[in-house]
Amino acid sequence: MTLQILPFQLTLSHMRSLKDHATLSNGVNMPWLGLGVYLIPDGPPIVDVIHHAIDAGYRSIDTASFYQNEAGVGQAVNTCGLAREELFVTTKVWNDDLRQARTLDAFEESLDRMQLDYVDLYLVHWPVPGKFVAAWKALEEIYERGRAKAIGVSNFTVQHLEVLQQNSEMIPMVNQVEFHPYLIQPRLKAFCAQKNIQLEAWSPLMQGRAMNVPTIQQVAEKYGKTPAQIVLRWDLQHGVVTIPKSAQPARIIENATIFDFELSEEDMVVLDGLDCGQRVGPDPEDFVF
Ligand SMILES: NC(=O)c1ccc[n+]([C@@H]2O[C@H](COP(=O)([O-])OP(=O)(O)OC[C@H]3O[C@@H](n4cnc5c(N)ncnc54)[C@H](OP(=O)(O)O)[C@@H]3O)[C@@H](O)[C@H]2O)c1
């Protein structure tokens, strides 16, 4: 299947700075680049990391109740000196809460931990079989009440999205999935584009392994960039929102310095050629829920 790459003029005019954003199907603006915070410890470590990222220009933070650092995320947001509406905060409802049919309560607990009045994006973390439709209906309610500016899903395949479509009112605004040069998932990508579901890449750096892929290293050398910057720029030119995680100040800045160059169509195709369906994380088809 041919991959859809953004028309170059659109890329040029809409991805010039860290403040640039995708526009979701309901009109909400979501920054193209955000900070993933999985495995960053709660408390002072995460507050410091997020403050550093915000100083470097980041405006979007991706957490989850499962990461056990929502309190620190909220503290960082509430003490960074920026108005709340300048930041984009994502969190997610965990599988146990889906199983126990307590998504509405779990959402309130997340807000409480973060000491926030609303989130910008609330996601169903995994498509727990037999449970995800009910959880989605709870997210619709949260959205109707204005407590989440946008709602979406994570780790949903085309099949899961079709089930949602047949059983609910709203189509998710975002699908956050594993996405990197070894795992492009062209069918899912095309389906989301067709339904106006913004694709978002988790583990965009392959949890660090992208740095050791020779083809990525060669492209990096050609542009005078690092492998991480090449992969993250490749995400943007695919129209995919990306949330690399780093707890290291220099890398946080490095990962955001991707708005001052463009990959040629030829090099996009070279990177696309690495796709081999290889995951670094669990497969939603056989995840142990
Ligand atoms: N929805 C889901 O199911 C799901 C699943 C997994 C992840 N996520 C989200 O996606 C975010 C990103 O995914 P991820 O954390 O799994 O992996 P990732 O962002 O692909 O990679 C993070 C790893 O790469 C290292 N790294 C970061 N920048 C680097 C650079 N410039 N050069 C070399 N190494 C670098 C980091 O180490 P240092 O910290 O030491 O820099 C860390 O070990 C998560 O934090 C989370 O928010 C969501």
Side-chain angles (χ1 to χ4, degrees), residues 4 16 18 26 41 51 127 139 148 174 177 187 214 225 259:
Q4 248 184 328
R16 285 199 170 125
L18 243 178
N26 65 343
H51 281 172
L139 263 63
V174 171
V177 299
R187 183 163 166 257
K225 286 284 179 180
F259 295 92

Side-chain angles (χ1 to χ4, degrees), residues 35-40 62-63 67 92 123 125-126 154-155 176-177 201-209 211 226 228-229 243-248 251-252 254-255 280:
L35 181 73
V37 298
Y38 183 43
L39 297 179
I40 303 183
D62 180 85
T63 185
Y67 304 169
K92 316 180 188 90
L123 302 177
H125 207 145
W126 286 91
S154 179
N155 300 302
Q176 183 186 113
V177 299
W202 64 253
S203 294
L205 303 175
M206 298 164 62
Q207 294 172 358
R209 282 173 242 178
M211 268 45 79
T226 66
Q229 290 167 331
I243 45 167
K245 174 261 173 184
S246 179
Q248 298 191 33
R251 285 177 175 177
I252 287 172
E254 173 189 334
N255 293 347
V280 297

